[in-house]
Amino acid sequence: MTSDARQECVAFIRPDEPMQCGTAFLARYDGKLWLISALHVPYGEKPHNDWSRFPKRMEIRTCPSDNHVLDLGNLIDASNNPRFLFTTQGNGTLADFMAIPLVDGSLPVWLSHVRIFDLNKDMREAAIGEEATLWGYPKKECKLAATPLTIWALPTHNSLLQTEQTAVEGNSGGPLIGSDGKLLGMVIGNTNGRALFVCSEMLEGLMSHSFLELQARQMLDKMHAQHRSS
């Protein structure tokens, strides 16, 4: 990838645990700017309701080893509610999602080549057998990688979008993109040898509702305040 090529996502890193690297992407929804990822990425484990364990700092980079580092606390829009949701059914995960509101105009120049998805226009449903590309930061490579995948099963009321292949650790939170450039979903993990995705329809539904717990709001406010005073 050349330096002037469009990049589909960013690395999302816990500085206190540098090996805890996942993926996130930038998006607009109803005119507002968001950072979207899987909720387990900042936790490094299955999410839970103990928001005091949400990391105090998270970093955004275009590459895990990049010298350009952006602290998430400097970007948070404290006037807008975040979206957090993690739900399970039986042994499976049904939703693993976070969207953090960002201040417009807060992104530095070195992020100008990173794509900002328009969730009101740039999403569509996937089709069985369709070839798509997962973008993310597989741990073993420690750099942005594009992984070709094939849609195997469409989501139902109690299951997620699935591909024939698995996703490598580190890709969690990464966007799945069709050949037409449309966003088909976001990867959250694997099951039975297949990758699982929050589909585009669920992404839209999650963004249109503020799934919010008071402690989550307080934690983001604390991160924001901490970096305003530093």
mmCIF file of all heavy atoms in Angstrom, residues 44-79:
data_model
loop_
_atom_site.group_PDB
_atom_site.id
_atom_site.type_symbol
_atom_site.label_atom_id
_atom_site.label_comp_id
_atom_site.label_asym_id
_atom_site.label_seq_id
_atom_site.Cartn_x
_atom_site.Cartn_y
_atom_site.Cartn_z
ATOM 1 N N GLY A 44 -9.765 -6.696 25.819
ATOM 2 C CA GLY A 44 -8.851 -7.810 25.716
ATOM 3 C C GLY A 44 -9.451 -9.084 26.256
ATOM 4 O O GLY A 44 -8.765 -10.055 26.534
ATOM 5 N N GLU A 45 -10.752 -9.118 26.413
ATOM 6 C CA GLU A 45 -11.472 -10.271 26.945
ATOM 7 C C GLU A 45 -12.944 -10.063 26.603
ATOM 8 O O GLU A 45 -13.308 -9.084 25.981
ATOM 9 C CB GLU A 45 -11.287 -10.366 28.458
ATOM 10 C CG GLU A 45 -11.751 -9.107 29.188
ATOM 11 C CD GLU A 45 -11.435 -9.127 30.669
ATOM 12 O OE1 GLU A 45 -12.230 -9.714 31.411
ATOM 13 O OE2 GLU A 45 -10.418 -8.561 31.061
ATOM 14 N N LYS A 46 -13.791 -10.966 27.028
ATOM 15 C CA LYS A 46 -15.211 -10.760 26.784
ATOM 16 C C LYS A 46 -15.697 -9.554 27.587
ATOM 17 O O LYS A 46 -15.447 -9.459 28.776
ATOM 18 C CB LYS A 46 -16.012 -12.007 27.174
ATOM 19 C CG LYS A 46 -15.854 -13.156 26.194
ATOM 20 C CD LYS A 46 -16.806 -14.280 26.516
ATOM 21 C CE LYS A 46 -16.701 -15.387 25.472
ATOM 22 N NZ LYS A 46 -17.623 -16.512 25.764
ATOM 23 N N PRO A 47 -16.376 -8.636 26.936
ATOM 24 C CA PRO A 47 -16.860 -7.447 27.644
ATOM 25 C C PRO A 47 -17.846 -7.806 28.753
ATOM 26 O O PRO A 47 -18.442 -8.879 28.763
ATOM 27 C CB PRO A 47 -17.549 -6.647 26.545
ATOM 28 C CG PRO A 47 -16.952 -7.137 25.285
ATOM 29 C CD PRO A 47 -16.667 -8.586 25.515
ATOM 30 N N HIS A 48 -17.999 -6.898 29.668
ATOM 31 C CA HIS A 48 -18.894 -7.096 30.801
ATOM 32 C C HIS A 48 -19.356 -5.725 31.263
ATOM 33 O O HIS A 48 -19.016 -4.708 30.660
ATOM 34 C CB HIS A 48 -18.170 -7.848 31.929
ATOM 35 C CG HIS A 48 -16.772 -7.382 32.138
ATOM 36 N ND1 HIS A 48 -16.468 -6.163 32.693
ATOM 37 C CD2 HIS A 48 -15.584 -7.957 31.813
ATOM 38 C CE1 HIS A 48 -15.153 -6.007 32.720
ATOM 39 N NE2 HIS A 48 -14.593 -7.079 32.189
ATOM 40 N N ASN A 49 -20.120 -5.681 32.298
ATOM 41 C CA ASN A 49 -20.691 -4.417 32.740
ATOM 42 C C ASN A 49 -19.858 -3.679 33.780
ATOM 43 O O ASN A 49 -20.305 -2.695 34.342
ATOM 44 C CB ASN A 49 -22.102 -4.649 33.300
ATOM 45 C CG ASN A 49 -23.074 -5.040 32.200
ATOM 46 O OD1 ASN A 49 -22.958 -4.582 31.083
ATOM 47 N ND2 ASN A 49 -24.017 -5.904 32.523
ATOM 48 N N ASP A 50 -18.642 -4.151 34.038
ATOM 49 C CA ASP A 50 -17.765 -3.454 34.965
ATOM 50 C C ASP A 50 -16.978 -2.404 34.177
ATOM 51 O O ASP A 50 -15.850 -2.628 33.753
ATOM 52 C CB ASP A 50 -16.807 -4.435 35.654
ATOM 53 C CG ASP A 50 -15.923 -3.744 36.677
ATOM 54 O OD1 ASP A 50 -16.113 -2.524 36.890
ATOM 55 O OD2 ASP A 50 -15.055 -4.413 37.251
ATOM 56 N N TRP A 51 -17.608 -1.244 33.977
ATOM 57 C CA TRP A 51 -16.994 -0.228 33.134
ATOM 58 C C TRP A 51 -15.758 0.399 33.769
ATOM 59 O O TRP A 51 -14.996 1.084 33.094
ATOM 60 C CB TRP A 51 -18.016 0.850 32.797
ATOM 61 C CG TRP A 51 -19.122 0.313 31.962
ATOM 62 C CD1 TRP A 51 -20.396 0.045 32.354
ATOM 63 C CD2 TRP A 51 -19.053 -0.078 30.588
ATOM 64 N NE1 TRP A 51 -21.123 -0.481 31.315
ATOM 65 C CE2 TRP A 51 -20.327 -0.558 30.218
ATOM 66 C CE3 TRP A 51 -18.035 -0.055 29.629
ATOM 67 C CZ2 TRP A 51 -20.603 -1.007 28.941
ATOM 68 C CZ3 TRP A 51 -18.315 -0.506 28.355
ATOM 69 C CH2 TRP A 51 -19.594 -0.982 28.031
ATOM 70 N N SER A 52 -15.538 0.154 35.061
ATOM 71 C CA SER A 52 -14.318 0.651 35.695
ATOM 72 C C SER A 52 -13.082 -0.023 35.102
ATOM 73 O O SER A 52 -11.975 0.467 35.245
ATOM 74 C CB SER A 52 -14.361 0.416 37.210
ATOM 75 O OG SER A 52 -14.343 -0.965 37.508
ATOM 76 N N ARG A 53 -13.292 -1.163 34.413
ATOM 77 C CA ARG A 53 -12.180 -1.887 33.803
ATOM 78 C C ARG A 53 -11.944 -1.477 32.349
ATOM 79 O O ARG A 53 -11.048 -1.995 31.691
ATOM 80 C CB ARG A 53 -12.426 -3.393 33.904
ATOM 81 C CG ARG A 53 -12.463 -3.882 35.352
ATOM 82 C CD ARG A 53 -12.849 -5.337 35.455
ATOM 83 N NE ARG A 53 -11.846 -6.206 34.824
ATOM 84 C CZ ARG A 53 -11.975 -7.531 34.756
ATOM 85 N NH1 ARG A 53 -13.047 -8.119 35.276
ATOM 86 N NH2 ARG A 53 -11.044 -8.254 34.172
ATOM 87 N N PHE A 54 -12.760 -0.553 31.852
ATOM 88 C CA PHE A 54 -12.511 -0.024 30.515
ATOM 89 C C PHE A 54 -11.183 0.739 30.560
ATOM 90 O O PHE A 54 -10.952 1.522 31.470
ATOM 91 C CB PHE A 54 -13.634 0.921 30.092
ATOM 92 C CG PHE A 54 -13.644 1.242 28.621
ATOM 93 C CD1 PHE A 54 -14.314 0.423 27.732
ATOM 94 C CD2 PHE A 54 -12.983 2.352 28.132
ATOM 95 C CE1 PHE A 54 -14.326 0.711 26.370
ATOM 96 C CE2 PHE A 54 -12.985 2.645 26.778
ATOM 97 C CZ PHE A 54 -13.667 1.821 25.895
ATOM 98 N N PRO A 55 -10.268 0.500 29.609
ATOM 99 C CA PRO A 55 -8.935 1.126 29.677
ATOM 100 C C PRO A 55 -9.014 2.647 29.702
ATOM 101 O O PRO A 55 -9.833 3.252 29.015
ATOM 102 C CB PRO A 55 -8.231 0.611 28.419
ATOM 103 C CG PRO A 55 -9.324 0.140 27.531
ATOM 104 C CD PRO A 55 -10.424 -0.333 28.416
ATOM 105 N N LYS A 56 -8.149 3.235 30.507
ATOM 106 C CA LYS A 56 -8.151 4.694 30.650
ATOM 107 C C LYS A 56 -7.604 5.376 29.405
ATOM 108 O O LYS A 56 -7.872 6.543 29.167
ATOM 109 C CB LYS A 56 -7.309 5.107 31.867
ATOM 110 C CG LYS A 56 -7.762 4.488 33.178
ATOM 111 C CD LYS A 56 -9.192 4.879 33.529
ATOM 112 C CE LYS A 56 -9.594 4.394 34.920
ATOM 113 N NZ LYS A 56 -9.683 2.914 34.998
ATOM 114 N N ARG A 57 -6.793 4.631 28.627
ATOM 115 C CA ARG A 57 -6.240 5.198 27.399
ATOM 116 C C ARG A 57 -6.336 4.185 26.267
ATOM 117 O O ARG A 57 -6.166 2.993 26.474
ATOM 118 C CB ARG A 57 -4.766 5.584 27.598
ATOM 119 C CG ARG A 57 -4.526 6.800 28.473
ATOM 120 C CD ARG A 57 -3.055 7.180 28.425
ATOM 121 N NE ARG A 57 -2.639 7.511 27.064
ATOM 122 C CZ ARG A 57 -1.361 7.446 26.635
ATOM 123 N NH1 ARG A 57 -0.418 7.035 27.446
ATOM 124 N NH2 ARG A 57 -1.062 7.777 25.393
ATOM 125 N N MET A 58 -6.648 4.698 25.084
ATOM 126 C CA MET A 58 -6.614 3.897 23.869
ATOM 127 C C MET A 58 -5.973 4.753 22.789
ATOM 128 O O MET A 58 -6.215 5.960 22.711
ATOM 129 C CB MET A 58 -8.015 3.466 23.437
ATOM 130 C CG MET A 58 -8.678 2.439 24.320
ATOM 131 S SD MET A 58 -7.846 0.820 24.330
ATOM 132 C CE MET A 58 -8.066 0.277 22.626
ATOM 133 N N GLU A 59 -5.152 4.127 21.953
ATOM 134 C CA GLU A 59 -4.446 4.849 20.905
ATOM 135 C C GLU A 59 -4.926 4.428 19.519
ATOM 136 O O GLU A 59 -5.305 3.286 19.300
ATOM 137 C CB GLU A 59 -2.939 4.597 21.004
ATOM 138 C CG GLU A 59 -2.309 5.181 22.249
ATOM 139 C CD GLU A 59 -0.833 4.862 22.369
ATOM 140 O OE1 GLU A 59 -0.336 4.010 21.585
ATOM 141 O OE2 GLU A 59 -0.181 5.464 23.241
ATOM 142 N N ILE A 60 -4.877 5.399 18.595
ATOM 143 C CA ILE A 60 -5.196 5.161 17.193
ATOM 144 C C ILE A 60 -3.921 5.369 16.385
ATOM 145 O O ILE A 60 -3.228 6.371 16.545
ATOM 146 C CB ILE A 60 -6.288 6.137 16.707
ATOM 147 C CG1 ILE A 60 -7.586 5.924 17.501
ATOM 148 C CG2 ILE A 60 -6.532 5.979 15.212
ATOM 149 C CD1 ILE A 60 -8.607 7.005 17.252
ATOM 150 N N ARG A 61 -3.619 4.404 15.523
ATOM 151 C CA ARG A 61 -2.468 4.508 14.638
ATOM 152 C C ARG A 61 -2.865 3.988 13.260
ATOM 153 O O ARG A 61 -3.825 3.239 13.127
ATOM 154 C CB ARG A 61 -1.281 3.694 15.164
ATOM 155 C CG ARG A 61 -0.866 4.030 16.592
ATOM 156 C CD ARG A 61 0.394 3.296 16.962
ATOM 157 N NE ARG A 61 0.739 3.485 18.374
ATOM 158 C CZ ARG A 61 1.961 3.327 18.868
ATOM 159 N NH1 ARG A 61 2.941 2.976 18.068
ATOM 160 N NH2 ARG A 61 2.197 3.508 20.138
ATOM 161 N N THR A 62 -2.094 4.355 12.238
ATOM 162 C CA THR A 62 -2.327 3.766 10.917
ATOM 163 C C THR A 62 -1.565 2.457 10.782
ATOM 164 O O THR A 62 -1.829 1.659 9.900
ATOM 165 C CB THR A 62 -1.908 4.725 9.791
ATOM 166 O OG1 THR A 62 -0.555 5.135 10.006
ATOM 167 C CG2 THR A 62 -2.812 5.949 9.769
ATOM 168 N N CYS A 63 -0.613 2.234 11.694
ATOM 169 C CA CYS A 63 0.161 0.999 11.754
ATOM 170 C C CYS A 63 0.619 0.838 13.194
ATOM 171 O O CYS A 63 0.990 1.831 13.830
ATOM 172 C CB CYS A 63 1.356 1.068 10.812
ATOM 173 S SG CYS A 63 2.433 -0.382 10.899
ATOM 174 N N PRO A 64 0.580 -0.370 13.768
ATOM 175 C CA PRO A 64 0.982 -0.544 15.163
ATOM 176 C C PRO A 64 2.370 -0.017 15.488
ATOM 177 O O PRO A 64 2.628 0.408 16.616
ATOM 178 C CB PRO A 64 0.905 -2.071 15.353
ATOM 179 C CG PRO A 64 -0.133 -2.513 14.378
ATOM 180 C CD PRO A 64 0.053 -1.614 13.183
ATOM 181 N N SER A 65 3.292 -0.030 14.510
ATOM 182 C CA SER A 65 4.654 0.442 14.750
ATOM 183 C C SER A 65 4.869 1.884 14.279
ATOM 184 O O SER A 65 5.994 2.391 14.300
ATOM 185 C CB SER A 65 5.645 -0.477 14.039
ATOM 186 O OG SER A 65 5.394 -0.498 12.647
ATOM 187 N N ASP A 66 3.794 2.560 13.883
ATOM 188 C CA ASP A 66 3.890 3.921 13.357
ATOM 189 C C ASP A 66 4.297 4.900 14.450
ATOM 190 O O ASP A 66 3.914 4.770 15.607
ATOM 191 C CB ASP A 66 2.523 4.327 12.789
ATOM 192 C CG ASP A 66 2.626 5.482 11.821
ATOM 193 O OD1 ASP A 66 3.598 6.261 11.922
ATOM 194 O OD2 ASP A 66 1.731 5.618 10.971
ATOM 195 N N ASN A 67 5.080 5.916 14.057
ATOM 196 C CA ASN A 67 5.451 6.969 14.999
ATOM 197 C C ASN A 67 4.298 7.925 15.262
ATOM 198 O O ASN A 67 4.287 8.626 16.269
ATOM 199 C CB ASN A 67 6.664 7.761 14.472
ATOM 200 C CG ASN A 67 7.937 6.936 14.492
ATOM 201 O OD1 ASN A 67 8.113 6.093 15.373
ATOM 202 N ND2 ASN A 67 8.812 7.164 13.530
ATOM 203 N N HIS A 68 3.344 7.986 14.338
ATOM 204 C CA HIS A 68 2.175 8.840 14.533
ATOM 205 C C HIS A 68 1.194 8.128 15.463
ATOM 206 O O HIS A 68 0.691 7.057 15.155
ATOM 207 C CB HIS A 68 1.476 9.129 13.199
ATOM 208 C CG HIS A 68 2.260 10.010 12.290
ATOM 209 N ND1 HIS A 68 2.649 11.286 12.631
ATOM 210 C CD2 HIS A 68 2.740 9.790 11.040
ATOM 211 C CE1 HIS A 68 3.318 11.836 11.626
ATOM 212 N NE2 HIS A 68 3.391 10.936 10.652
ATOM 213 N N VAL A 69 0.918 8.748 16.605
ATOM 214 C CA VAL A 69 0.024 8.159 17.603
ATOM 215 C C VAL A 69 -1.010 9.196 18.010
ATOM 216 O O VAL A 69 -0.670 10.349 18.276
ATOM 217 C CB VAL A 69 0.804 7.694 18.850
ATOM 218 C CG1 VAL A 69 -0.143 7.082 19.869
ATOM 219 C CG2 VAL A 69 1.887 6.693 18.469
ATOM 220 N N LEU A 70 -2.260 8.793 18.068
ATOM 221 C CA LEU A 70 -3.334 9.688 18.468
ATOM 222 C C LEU A 70 -4.048 9.094 19.669
ATOM 223 O O LEU A 70 -4.496 7.952 19.635
ATOM 224 C CB LEU A 70 -4.320 9.855 17.307
ATOM 225 C CG LEU A 70 -5.372 10.956 17.432
ATOM 226 C CD1 LEU A 70 -4.716 12.315 17.644
ATOM 227 C CD2 LEU A 70 -6.236 10.996 16.177
ATOM 228 N N ASP A 71 -4.103 9.848 20.752
ATOM 229 C CA ASP A 71 -4.774 9.389 21.958
ATOM 230 C C ASP A 71 -6.268 9.629 21.823
ATOM 231 O O ASP A 71 -6.706 10.749 21.554
ATOM 232 C CB ASP A 71 -4.232 10.144 23.176
ATOM 233 C CG ASP A 71 -4.526 9.425 24.474
ATOM 234 O OD1 ASP A 71 -5.700 9.072 24.669
ATOM 235 O OD2 ASP A 71 -3.600 9.204 25.264
ATOM 236 N N LEU A 72 -7.054 8.576 21.990
ATOM 237 C CA LEU A 72 -8.501 8.667 21.816
ATOM 238 C C LEU A 72 -9.116 9.738 22.711
ATOM 239 O O LEU A 72 -10.086 10.398 22.330
ATOM 240 C CB LEU A 72 -9.139 7.305 22.117
ATOM 241 C CG LEU A 72 -10.663 7.220 21.998
ATOM 242 C CD1 LEU A 72 -11.112 7.541 20.586
ATOM 243 C CD2 LEU A 72 -11.149 5.829 22.408
ATOM 244 N N GLY A 73 -8.545 9.927 23.908
ATOM 245 C CA GLY A 73 -9.105 10.911 24.834
ATOM 246 C C GLY A 73 -9.120 12.322 24.286
ATOM 247 O O GLY A 73 -9.925 13.159 24.722
ATOM 248 N N ASN A 74 -8.251 12.614 23.312
ATOM 249 C CA ASN A 74 -8.214 13.957 22.719
ATOM 250 C C ASN A 74 -9.307 14.172 21.683
ATOM 251 O O ASN A 74 -9.496 15.297 21.214
ATOM 252 C CB ASN A 74 -6.851 14.189 22.060
ATOM 253 C CG ASN A 74 -5.721 14.228 23.068
ATOM 254 O OD1 ASN A 74 -5.888 14.728 24.171
ATOM 255 N ND2 ASN A 74 -4.580 13.686 22.691
ATOM 256 N N LEU A 75 -9.997 13.109 21.293
ATOM 257 C CA LEU A 75 -10.957 13.190 20.193
ATOM 258 C C LEU A 75 -12.413 13.098 20.637
ATOM 259 O O LEU A 75 -13.319 13.426 19.873
ATOM 260 C CB LEU A 75 -10.703 12.048 19.202
ATOM 261 C CG LEU A 75 -9.315 11.908 18.610
ATOM 262 C CD1 LEU A 75 -9.286 10.714 17.681
ATOM 263 C CD2 LEU A 75 -8.914 13.160 17.867
ATOM 264 N N ILE A 76 -12.665 12.632 21.850
ATOM 265 C CA ILE A 76 -14.025 12.302 22.279
ATOM 266 C C ILE A 76 -14.934 13.523 22.289
ATOM 267 O O ILE A 76 -14.585 14.578 22.808
ATOM 268 C CB ILE A 76 -14.003 11.648 23.674
ATOM 269 C CG1 ILE A 76 -13.287 10.300 23.612
ATOM 270 C CG2 ILE A 76 -15.418 11.464 24.216
ATOM 271 C CD1 ILE A 76 -13.035 9.690 24.966
ATOM 272 N N ASP A 77 -16.101 13.356 21.704
ATOM 273 C CA ASP A 77 -17.144 14.379 21.737
ATOM 274 C C ASP A 77 -18.006 14.144 22.970
ATOM 275 O O ASP A 77 -18.880 13.281 22.976
ATOM 276 C CB ASP A 77 -17.984 14.300 20.462
ATOM 277 C CG ASP A 77 -19.084 15.355 20.420
ATOM 278 O OD1 ASP A 77 -19.189 16.143 21.384
ATOM 279 O OD2 ASP A 77 -19.834 15.377 19.426
ATOM 280 N N ALA A 78 -17.753 14.914 24.012
ATOM 281 C CA ALA A 78 -18.444 14.702 25.288
ATOM 282 C C ALA A 78 -19.917 15.088 25.233
ATOM 283 O O ALA A 78 -20.679 14.765 26.148
ATOM 284 C CB ALA A 78 -17.743 15.493 26.394
ATOM 285 N N SER A 79 -20.344 15.736 24.144
ATOM 286 C CA SER A 79 -21.747 16.154 24.049
ATOM 287 C C SER A 79 -22.630 15.085 23.429
ATOM 288 O O SER A 79 -23.848 15.246 23.344
ATOM 289 C CB SER A 79 -21.844 17.438 23.222
ATOM 290 O OG SER A 79 -21.492 17.193 21.861
#
